[in-house]
Amino acid sequence: MDGKIRVGVSSCLLGNRVRYDGGHQRDRYITDVLADYFNFIPVCPEVECGLPVPRETMRLVGDAEHPRLITSKKGIDHTEKMIRYCTHKVQQLENENLSAFIFKKNSPSSGLHRVKVYGSSGQPQKKGRGLFAAAVVNRYPFLPVEEEGRLHDAPLRENFIEKVFCYHRWKMFLQNNGGYKELLIFHTDHKLQLMAHSPKHLSKMGRLVAESKHVSREDLLGKYQECLLEALSLKATVKKNVNVLYHIMGHFKKLISSDEKSELLEIINSYAQSYVPLVVPLTLINHYVRKYRIFYLLEQSYLKPHPDELMLRNHV
Ligand code: SF4
């Protein structure tokens, strides 16, 4: 991994005083933990589209699919101004080489999920998406995106960060102009990670790689990328992880003693029953993989999808 991963972020989450009231919404997990691995590119659509700090609060009004951005008291409509800004900004973001975006929840500009939209009854429905967040998702449908609030949920956080690191590796593969051989290596190294998310996608991607000589490179990589990100969006459940753990054990079960095998099976079973987190069986497995130098497993991204220091598998 050369340098930090470039990630867009709602500017107020970094502690920048860009909010309507002149304050910020610094998120310590982002600034104190993720910042060690991610190089954040701050974006405040409201300030960057020309609105002042402080400013009147705004909300989404009308149809949830095509809401208007209106100030709460004076009713000033900023929709066109924001849409003009978004069109320009999402294009400009292409030069930033982002591998993810973290949005501020509930914002009519930056919120990603369940943003309030006020209908004619005056009653809000949590069905909307901030205008800028919508523009980013439309322009970059494969980009991993999340809200800071959801990053405080351990399984969602692990899933998002795993996806960011994997997408970043994929982007590096694309940037290095990898050919068939490199795609085969990428696919082989990610097999167990894909299996933990979706065995169905793993088979489909295997077929894509096997038949790759018969399709254009552009077609192949487009389809492969779509499957990769679709697979990673599916949750790696305890049941699917247990299946992968047994599969891994199959690679060295003849090398370890029957006592060691019983101990590992017992630990996998404890994980299956949610008595211990995923990091427990994986620590023992990593020990055997290193001890017996099992090359296929040593290269598997599943055994190290993100830095250990983030401790993401201590809570899932
Ligand atoms: S939520 Fe978005 S628009 Fe609002 S202050 Fe933060 S970055 Fe700016």
Side-chain angles (χ1 to χ4, degrees), residues 9-13 16-20 23-25 42-48 55 58 82 103-111 132:
V9 65
S10 296
S11 183
C12 55
L13 294 174
N16 296 325
R17 296 184 177 280
V18 288
R19 299 256 299 164
Y20 69 94
H24 62 77
Q25 281 283 320
V43 181
C44 177
E46 291 180 13
V47 167
E48 291 175 26
R55 57 187 171 275
M58 295 191 283
M82 181 58 82
F103 292 102
K104 170 77 190 79
K105 70 174 181 179
N106 295 338
S107 157
S109 308
S110 302
F132 176 64

XYZ file of all heavy atoms in Angstrom, residues 9-13 16-20 23-25 42-48 55 58 82 103-111 132, ligand 1:
269
model
N -14.629 13.395 2.603
C -15.343 13.430 3.884
C -16.084 14.766 4.014
O -15.603 15.801 3.527
C -14.360 13.228 5.064
C -13.373 14.356 5.200
C -15.095 13.031 6.389
N -17.245 14.734 4.643
C -17.956 15.977 4.932
C -17.073 16.807 5.855
O -16.674 16.343 6.936
C -19.293 15.683 5.596
O -20.120 14.975 4.702
N -16.796 18.031 5.440
C -15.780 18.852 6.098
C -16.003 19.038 7.606
O -15.058 19.002 8.399
C -15.761 20.212 5.396
O -14.775 21.021 5.914
N -17.262 19.203 8.020
C -17.537 19.459 9.451
C -17.117 18.283 10.323
O -16.841 18.455 11.514
C -19.015 19.791 9.661
S -20.122 18.533 9.023
N -17.043 17.065 9.741
C -16.654 15.892 10.530
C -15.181 15.929 10.918
O -14.744 15.246 11.829
C -16.948 14.603 9.750
C -18.428 14.315 9.489
C -18.590 13.105 8.579
C -19.169 14.085 10.800
N -13.864 21.166 11.056
C -13.881 22.492 10.408
C -15.202 23.196 10.739
O -16.277 22.589 10.683
C -13.722 22.341 8.886
C -12.371 21.754 8.535
O -11.374 22.039 9.202
N -12.322 20.907 7.516
N -15.097 24.483 11.062
C -16.281 25.235 11.513
C -17.054 25.761 10.302
O -16.992 26.939 9.976
C -15.842 26.391 12.424
C -15.189 25.882 13.694
C -14.838 26.997 14.664
N -14.275 26.432 15.876
C -14.980 25.893 16.867
N -16.297 25.898 16.811
N -14.374 25.395 17.922
N -17.778 24.840 9.673
C -18.507 25.197 8.450
C -20.010 24.997 8.595
O -20.762 25.214 7.655
C -17.996 24.369 7.240
C -16.624 24.827 6.801
C -17.986 22.873 7.571
N -20.460 24.605 9.785
C -21.885 24.321 9.977
C -22.700 25.618 9.951
O -22.160 26.709 10.121
C -22.100 23.622 11.323
C -21.378 22.301 11.415
C -22.273 21.133 11.259
N -23.297 21.076 12.272
C -24.385 20.326 12.172
N -24.591 19.621 11.088
N -25.264 20.296 13.151
N -24.016 25.469 9.806
C -24.913 26.636 9.723
C -24.746 27.565 10.934
O -24.897 28.771 10.834
C -26.374 26.171 9.606
C -26.899 25.531 10.861
C -27.598 26.271 11.814
C -26.646 24.190 11.122
C -28.031 25.686 12.989
C -27.081 23.600 12.280
C -27.771 24.349 13.210
O -28.190 23.774 14.383
N -20.420 26.164 13.942
C -19.742 25.090 14.691
C -19.259 23.980 13.761
O -19.236 24.132 12.543
N -18.862 22.870 14.386
C -18.417 21.693 13.623
C -19.040 20.440 14.222
O -19.754 20.522 15.228
C -16.882 21.604 13.644
C -16.315 21.437 15.028
N -16.337 20.235 15.689
C -15.743 22.346 15.884
C -15.779 20.397 16.881
N -15.414 21.661 17.031
N -18.760 19.318 13.642
C -19.275 18.027 14.162
C -18.123 17.035 14.145
O -18.232 15.960 13.565
C -20.413 17.523 13.267
C -21.740 18.197 13.503
C -22.428 17.679 14.763
O -22.397 16.490 15.051
N -23.029 18.583 15.518
N -11.599 17.104 2.424
C -12.837 17.660 2.968
C -13.689 18.367 1.922
O -13.151 19.042 1.037
C -12.341 18.671 4.010
C -10.968 19.031 3.572
C -10.410 17.891 2.765
N -15.003 18.185 2.033
C -15.934 18.871 1.135
C -17.107 19.378 1.963
O -17.737 18.604 2.687
C -16.483 17.915 0.035
C -17.444 18.674 -0.892
C -15.359 17.285 -0.775
N -17.379 20.678 1.886
C -18.607 21.220 2.482
C -19.422 21.830 1.334
O -19.161 22.966 0.911
C -18.328 22.284 3.541
S -19.910 22.969 4.146
N -20.404 21.092 0.827
C -21.153 21.602 -0.334
C -21.857 22.931 -0.060
O -21.936 23.770 -0.965
C -22.160 20.487 -0.633
C -22.111 19.546 0.508
C -20.818 19.739 1.216
N -22.338 23.135 1.159
C -23.086 24.375 1.418
C -22.170 25.600 1.362
O -22.515 26.620 0.761
C -23.826 24.267 2.762
C -24.964 23.236 2.663
C -25.766 23.043 3.931
O -25.646 23.857 4.875
O -26.511 22.048 3.990
N -20.998 25.496 1.964
C -20.072 26.631 1.927
C -19.479 26.777 0.519
O -19.385 27.872 -0.028
C -18.962 26.447 2.993
C -17.837 27.440 2.766
C -19.544 26.610 4.391
N -19.126 25.644 -0.086
C -18.478 25.697 -1.405
C -19.421 26.161 -2.511
O -18.987 26.632 -3.548
C -17.859 24.338 -1.745
C -16.663 24.031 -0.853
C -16.076 22.646 -1.062
O -16.216 22.083 -2.165
O -15.463 22.116 -0.122
N -25.404 30.569 8.655
C -26.454 30.701 7.625
C -27.748 30.110 8.176
O -27.734 29.396 9.193
C -26.041 29.968 6.338
C -25.744 28.494 6.549
C -25.186 27.826 5.304
N -24.706 26.463 5.583
C -23.499 26.173 6.041
N -22.625 27.137 6.285
N -23.154 24.928 6.272
N -31.414 24.625 6.506
C -32.156 24.246 5.291
C -32.768 22.871 5.489
O -32.374 22.111 6.378
C -31.197 24.204 4.104
C -30.627 25.560 3.784
S -29.769 25.561 2.218
C -28.269 24.765 2.645
N -27.254 24.687 -5.619
C -26.593 23.476 -5.138
C -26.377 22.477 -6.269
O -25.313 21.852 -6.370
C -27.439 22.842 -4.010
C -26.839 21.584 -3.407
S -25.186 21.826 -2.701
C -25.584 22.500 -1.097
N -19.947 10.566 4.689
C -20.872 11.696 4.715
C -21.403 11.959 6.121
O -21.472 11.058 6.962
C -22.074 11.412 3.804
C -21.732 11.365 2.344
C -21.591 10.148 1.680
C -21.573 12.534 1.608
C -21.286 10.110 0.324
C -21.268 12.504 0.258
C -21.126 11.283 -0.385
N -21.833 13.208 6.315
C -22.454 13.601 7.594
C -23.932 13.230 7.551
O -24.661 13.661 6.654
C -22.283 15.120 7.780
C -23.073 15.704 8.931
C -22.417 15.398 10.243
C -23.311 15.770 11.410
N -24.375 14.794 11.684
N -24.359 12.458 8.546
C -25.757 11.995 8.539
C -26.749 13.150 8.729
O -26.397 14.203 9.296
C -25.972 10.936 9.633
C -25.909 11.489 11.030
C -26.285 10.432 12.058
C -26.226 11.035 13.445
N -26.589 10.119 14.497
N -27.946 12.939 8.264
C -29.113 13.832 8.453
C -29.047 15.167 7.707
O -30.001 15.933 7.754
C -29.352 14.154 9.936
C -29.735 12.919 10.720
O -30.199 11.949 10.131
N -29.529 12.931 12.026
N -27.943 15.485 7.063
C -27.835 16.789 6.411
C -28.603 16.801 5.079
O -28.511 15.837 4.305
C -26.353 17.096 6.152
O -26.240 18.026 5.106
N -29.341 17.886 4.780
C -30.055 17.953 3.502
C -29.101 18.050 2.307
O -29.515 17.857 1.166
C -30.904 19.221 3.628
C -30.198 20.060 4.641
C -29.545 19.095 5.599
N -27.831 18.345 2.576
C -26.844 18.383 1.489
C -25.975 17.126 1.502
O -25.688 16.553 0.458
C -25.917 19.601 1.642
O -26.678 20.768 1.792
N -25.546 16.705 2.696
C -24.545 15.640 2.785
C -25.079 14.301 3.272
O -24.378 13.293 3.162
C -23.418 16.075 3.731
O -22.831 17.271 3.280
N -26.269 14.237 3.837
C -26.781 12.977 4.403
C -26.981 11.918 3.328
O -27.434 12.210 2.228
N -25.904 16.684 -2.410
C -24.514 16.401 -2.784
C -24.231 14.897 -2.691
O -23.602 14.319 -3.588
C -23.546 17.197 -1.903
C -22.113 16.868 -2.171
C -21.537 17.146 -3.414
C -21.330 16.249 -1.206
C -20.207 16.818 -3.679
C -20.001 15.922 -1.460
C -19.441 16.200 -2.697
S -23.107 18.473 6.798
Fe -22.204 18.872 4.815
S -23.049 20.824 4.206
Fe -23.427 20.652 6.378
S -21.683 21.632 7.338
Fe -21.185 19.477 7.182
S -20.073 19.344 5.274
Fe -21.138 21.309 5.222
